[in-house]
Amino acid sequence: MTASEPPYQLIDAHCHFDAEVFDNDRAQVLESAISNGISDIIIPGTERCYWDRIKCLCSQDHRLHACYGLHPYWANRHQLEDIDALKTYIEINRPVAIGECGLDFRKHLLPETDSKARQLTFFEAQLGLAEEHHLPVVIHSVRATEAVIQTLQKFKGLRGMIHSYSGSLEQARQLIDLGFYISLGGSVTYENASKLRKVVQDIPLSSMLLETDAPDQPDKQHSGQRNEPSFIRNTLEEIARLREESIEDIAKQTSANARTLFAI
Ligand SMILES: [Zn+2]
């Protein structure tokens, strides 16, 4: 270890590292992540057409880990046959998790009256696959935490993470009781995120993961820029400050949590 490297290791539990926006400098971005202490990056799937891209990327570097799934944001683009394709794909290419899947009830994503039902169909199908294949799930939940909790109550025994958590403290406790980790990203660095910062202070470290959601959701210092895995340090430092705990302890425990969840 050189003098410039941090004295801890971190796992970015959610990063869209396959995104085209990294095509021109992906190797440098990974190099920068490594020199900032990141040992592993979990890459979630979004649409069937991108699974091969993730598979190819992860086959090139042991620090990159694949998830395959159907993201609720694109529920109107997924076909029902994609669920059967996902089943076959995960049987051949065992991922570290199914996802990202979930519910996104922002108004612009609900153009038809059956949009919520359509999202729920894909979500439940993926939870069923996770159950059947004994895999954890990566869950996207926006303006839908209550519905996500109700759905997960039908799949007792599943494990997983709620990525970029945005619900209340009470809901976080319910999700932890259901076997889920609460994953935190750059949003915690914004002072106006008071509900989220309360969650950060009050949930046990044993239920916490760190993520960037890069290239999206940059921290305050990088607001308006492309997010990258190395920026996770700002989130780590803010969480340490909010919880009055050491950076090393948070890095160590959240990395151990990610290793347990994804079996890496
Ligand atoms: Zn994502």
Side-chain angles (χ1 to χ4, degrees):
M1 195 175 271
T2 64
S4 63
E5 284 177 351
Y8 51 76
Q9 284 205 327
L10 280 173
I11 294 178
D12 187 347
H14 193 98
C15 169
H16 295 276
F17 201 46
D18 60 314
E20 278 135 45
V21 71
F22 292 119
D23 282 355
N24 290 330
D25 63 349
R26 191 172 283 106
Q28 291 96 302
V29 173
L30 182 58
E31 207 44 58
S32 164
I34 294 162
S35 62
N36 278 282
I38 294 166
S39 62
D40 297 84
I41 297 173
I42 310 295
I43 308 178
T46 53
E47 290 186 78
R48 181 180 177 180
C49 58
Y50 298 128
W51 299 339
D52 279 345
R53 178 168 92 174
I54 295 173
K55 178 185 163 186
C56 179
L57 191 56
C58 294
S59 71
Q60 292 164 22
D61 194 302
H62 68 278
R63 291 168 283 223
L64 306 178
H65 306 278
C67 309
Y68 302 119
L70 300 163
H71 193 301
Y73 193 91
W74 292 283
N76 291 325
R77 299 215 292 240
H78 307 321
Q79 305 295 317
L80 284 176
E81 67 192 41
D82 294 349
I83 295 166
D84 293 330
L86 180 60
K87 179 175 162 66
T88 307
Y89 205 86
I90 61 168
E91 283 168 0
I92 298 169
N93 310 289
R94 184 145 177 110
V96 296
I98 302 266
E100 59 183 293
C101 57
L103 301 172
D104 192 324
F105 289 170
R106 279 174 287 185
K107 275 209 171 66
H108 72 285
L109 292 176
L110 306 171
E112 320 288 344
T113 48
D114 66 346
S115 295
K116 283 188 180 178
R118 186 175 174 82
Q119 286 193 19
L120 205 56
T121 299
F122 286 104
F123 185 30
E124 291 193 346
Q126 292 177 85
L127 295 177
L129 278 181
E131 201 166 53
E132 185 186 336
H133 293 270
H134 307 290
L135 283 167
V137 277
V138 173
I139 294 183
H140 170 107
S141 171
V142 176
R143 307 240 172 108
T145 309
E146 212 49 61
V148 164
I149 291 170
Q150 281 171 18
T151 309
L152 291 176
Q153 280 165 344
K154 294 192 261 178
F155 291 85
K156 290 260 166 68
L158 271 186
R159 297 161 306 116
M161 65 183 271
I162 312 296
H163 119 76
S164 188
Y165 185 71
S166 59
S168 69
L169 177 59
E170 181 50 37
Q171 288 169 327
R173 289 190 174 129
Q174 285 178 265
L175 287 159
I176 291 166
D177 284 345
L178 284 164
F180 283 75
Y181 289 92
I182 303 299
S183 188
L184 303 165
S187 311
V188 307
T189 61
Y190 293 83
E191 286 91 1
N192 60 4
S194 46
K195 186 174 75 169
L196 181 61
R197 285 156 78 97
K198 176 94 183 113
V199 172
V200 169
Q201 286 169 318
D202 285 13
I203 61 168
L205 207 49
S206 57
S207 296
M208 192 185 287
L209 297 175
L210 299 187
E211 65 166 76
T212 58
D213 198 25
D216 302 323
Q217 303 207 58
D219 61 84
K220 189 180 157 197
Q221 193 184 320
H222 298 96
S223 179
Q225 298 176 34
R226 179 188 72 174
N227 196 4
E228 324 186 347
S230 62
F231 300 167
I232 203 168
R233 280 178 82 163
N234 290 336
T235 299
L236 170 68
E237 285 166 12
E238 186 67 15
I239 292 174
R241 203 187 60 73
L242 287 168
R243 291 178 65 92
E244 300 178 3
E245 289 170 356
S246 78
I247 284 172
E248 289 77 10
D249 284 351
I250 292 166
K252 193 175 169 190
Q253 185 62 51
T254 55
S255 297
N257 295 343
R259 292 198 181 285
T260 301
L261 179 64
F262 297 112
I264 56 172

